[in-house]
Amino acid sequence: DFKDIRIMDVKLPLRAIIGAIKRGNKILIPKGNTQIRGNDTLMIFTTTESAAKVKDFFKVDLVKSLR
């Protein structure tokens, strides 16, 4: 569960970063102390090689997420 955790405390897989957060109608460029909230949508940037690890880390269906 990533609710109410600061970006700096999320131990992302190597070669992955949280590049943006959609919160309601706003787009935020996160800093280390930015907190992830329950209904946030995260935009994750990663390499092709690390995509499966990121998917497993967040336990999401990447195909569904990209639609």
Side-chain angles (χ1 to χ4, degrees):
D1 187 19
F2 297 99
K3 183 181 171 191
D4 298 325
I5 188 170
R6 296 179 306 173
I7 297 284
M8 68 175 66
D9 297 327
V10 177
K11 304 298 182 205
L12 289 170
L14 290 177
R15 297 177 194 84
I17 61 167
I18 299 172
I21 298 174
K22 183 175 183 282
R23 182 173 291 158
N25 292 326
K26 296 181 181 181
I27 301 295
L28 307 172
I29 303 302
K31 298 177 180 162
N33 62 350
T34 302
Q35 282 198 328
I36 300 170
R37 296 187 183 159
N39 289 323
D40 285 350
T41 300
L42 306 179
M43 181 174 286
I44 309 296
F45 294 94
T46 191
T47 61
T48 302
E49 296 81 17
S50 295
K53 290 179 184 174
V54 171
K55 175 188 157 196
D56 291 341
F57 182 80
F58 286 103
K59 297 176 180 56
V60 296
D61 181 349
L62 289 179
V63 174
K64 182 178 179 184
S65 298
L66 295 174
R67 289 185 186 157

